[in-house]
Amino acid sequence: MNLSTPSEGADPAAAGSSRLALLALSVAAFAIGTTEFVIMGLLPEVASDLHVSIPSAGLLVSGYALGVAAGAPLLAALTARMERRNALLLLLGLFILGNALCAIAPNYGVLMVARVVAAFCHGSFFGIGAVVASHIVPRGQAARAIALMFTGLTLANVLGVPFGTFLGQWAGWRSTFGAVTLLGVVAAFAVWRLVPALPGMPSPDMRREIVVLRQPQVLLALAMTVLGFGGVFTVFTYIAPILQQESHVSVGATGWVLILFGVGTTIGNMLGGRLADWRLMPSLAGVLVVLSLVMLAFAWTMHSTTAAIATVFVWGVFAFATVPPLQMRVVQQAGDGPHLASTLNIAAFNLGNAIGAFIGGSMIDLGLGLGLPSVSIAGAVVTLLGLLVTLLSMALERRRTMVTSCAVGA
């Protein structure tokens, strides 16, 4: 199945409809991204209110991420025969339920369960959404369409996370999840009104989709996502205590630094989309190199308020410049079976988040005499492992191309 419409032309009415549909997907991505990331800015408040340690509160990030990883293949299978817009609406309904439970959670255990419920929709929504986004735009614009949908995710860092943090610090962290619940309702309405029904878009053949997962390049693409992005969450999960304890940023100013990080992620997301449409793998490798170096530098710059804030901005740019190429790579390699692979890649992002949050928390618990800077060093190492997998994938692809060329020449 071709992921984009076959037409090279740009019918103004169709183009306008596509932009509105992508806008609706972005609104939903904004809501989902806010609930995923806002917990980082509220870790101290949640830990204090529920009488748990910061690393224990950090496990709420891991719980959400593991919920995504577990829910992605399950809900992909359950929604396989549904029309794509209806599947998206069902998933948003689950998102609304989970966040409503977060808002009323009386203790840590209930909050963890509620986070997992909210997370179940995440992987399938972005997996289906990425395929829908690439299906409704002209050929050659698939990566940019995916990037535009993920703009909602990056804007969640610019607006949703910092203002959710402000709200939680002012009115209690439960009020933030109440606001996210209402945001989910708005997102569901936008998808219902603006995303077209796509009855002509064939339902995925799950047997064919599963067979695609046997391809080495698809598995390598998933591993690139787990490790390449996992390093980001090794650090980002604990960004609030890092800024407040090491960079001497006040509690009230933490949200403003997160806004700056979010601006960086928005720039990086759009940059990553353009780079992916230009030269996918070389661009991804270059971004991972710079991302690793920035996180390594953060272990030292976090001790200076000004240097830390500047590093956080640059880090945001290169962290999210990885997202469109990582998502596009797995869709590209999956060929005629993109739905499950795309969904599993979202699960891979979140598996990386869970592993990263665990590694970061373990570094804090172990101490090792380095304190919070050790978290940033560990994040750089995880991302470098993602780079090694990327280089391996590129080498295997180059070797296959050479073998094919020789066979044709013979």
Side-chain angles (χ1 to χ4, degrees):
M1 183 187 76
N2 194 4
L3 288 180
S4 56
T5 57
S7 173
E8 298 285 353
D11 175 18
S17 177
S18 296
R19 283 193 292 270
L20 288 174
L22 290 173
L23 175 63
L25 292 173
S26 295
V27 171
F30 178 84
I32 294 172
T34 298
T35 203
E36 178 183 16
F37 297 133
V38 77
I39 192 70
M40 284 70 146
L42 295 173
L43 276 189
E45 286 73 24
V46 172
S48 175
D49 185 52
L50 298 181
H51 308 293
V52 297
S53 67
I54 289 289
S56 294
L59 290 178
L60 291 167
V61 177
S62 297
Y64 184 95
L66 292 174
V68 175
L74 175 62
L75 290 202
L78 291 176
T79 61
R81 297 186 179 277
M82 294 182 66
E83 189 275 322
R84 300 292 81 187
R85 183 181 64 179
N86 289 339
L88 293 174
L89 290 172
L90 175 64
L91 294 168
L92 284 173
L94 191 60
F95 169 83
I96 292 167
L97 173 63
N99 280 284
L101 289 174
C102 286
I104 62 174
N107 55 51
Y108 180 84
V110 174
L111 180 59
M112 178 66 81
V113 171
R115 290 281 290 170
V116 172
V117 171
F120 258 56
C121 81
H122 187 125
S124 291
F125 183 90
F126 280 108
I128 294 171
V131 175
V132 169
S134 60
H135 184 83
I136 60 177
V137 296
R139 190 186 305 274
Q141 296 181 20
R144 272 171 282 185
I146 291 173
L148 186 57
M149 182 188 74
F150 276 95
T151 296
L153 195 62
T154 59
L155 285 176
N157 285 297
V158 180
L159 300 173
V161 172
F163 285 103
T165 300
F166 290 142
L167 178 61
Q169 292 170 346
W170 174 63
W173 60 267
R174 289 182 182 81
S175 65
T176 298
F177 288 102
V180 171
T181 302
L182 294 176
L183 189 58
V185 173
V186 172
F189 179 78
V191 169
W192 174 62
R193 291 290 298 171
L194 299 176
V195 174
L198 297 169
M201 189 175 181
S203 298
D205 182 339
M206 294 307 295
R207 287 176 297 181
R208 184 175 62 183
E209 300 270 342
I210 291 172
V211 168
V212 165
L213 298 179
R214 299 176 184 173
Q215 298 178 15
Q217 286 288 12
V218 173
L219 297 177
L220 285 173
L222 294 173
M224 285 156 46
T225 298
V226 171
L227 296 170
F229 201 75
V232 174
F233 264 68
T234 301
V235 186
F236 190 56
T237 301
Y238 304 97
I239 191 62
I242 286 173
L243 290 174
Q244 291 166 21
Q245 296 176 28
E246 298 292 333
S247 308
H248 308 294
V249 175
S250 69
V251 173
T254 300
W256 293 108
V257 179
L258 292 178
I259 289 177
L260 187 63
F261 176 83
V263 171
T265 65
T266 303
I267 295 170
N269 182 65
M270 299 311 295
L271 174 65
R274 291 190 175 276
L275 289 174
D277 278 332
W278 174 54
R279 295 186 66 192
L280 177 58
M281 292 299 282
S283 298
L284 177 58
V287 168
L288 289 174
V289 169
V290 178
L291 178 59
S292 299
L293 292 174
V294 170
M295 286 192 289
L296 189 61
F298 191 41
W300 283 269
T301 61
M302 69 172 61
H303 299 298
S304 163
T305 302
T306 302
I309 292 171
T311 305
V312 165
F313 171 74
V314 176
W315 177 41
V317 173
F318 287 96
F320 273 71
T322 65
V323 173
L326 286 171
Q327 187 69 11
M328 189 61 194
R329 177 65 174 178
V330 76
V331 170
Q332 177 193 75
Q333 292 301 312
D336 290 337
H339 294 81
L340 182 58
S342 178
T343 296
L344 286 178
N345 199 49
I346 301 300
F349 274 111
N350 283 271
L351 180 59
N353 296 352
I355 292 172
F358 175 77
I359 291 173
S362 297
M363 297 302 292
I364 294 172
D365 285 337
L366 288 173
L368 301 178
L370 295 175
L372 287 171
S374 66
V375 175
S376 195
I377 295 172
V381 171
V382 174
T383 295
L384 281 174
L385 293 175
L387 173 64
L388 292 178
V389 176
T390 303
L391 295 175
L392 173 62
S393 178
M394 293 173 69
L396 292 176
E397 190 170 55
R398 192 178 302 113
R399 179 182 177 183
R400 180 179 178 182
T401 301
M402 292 175 61
V403 170
T404 302
S405 299
C406 291
V408 171

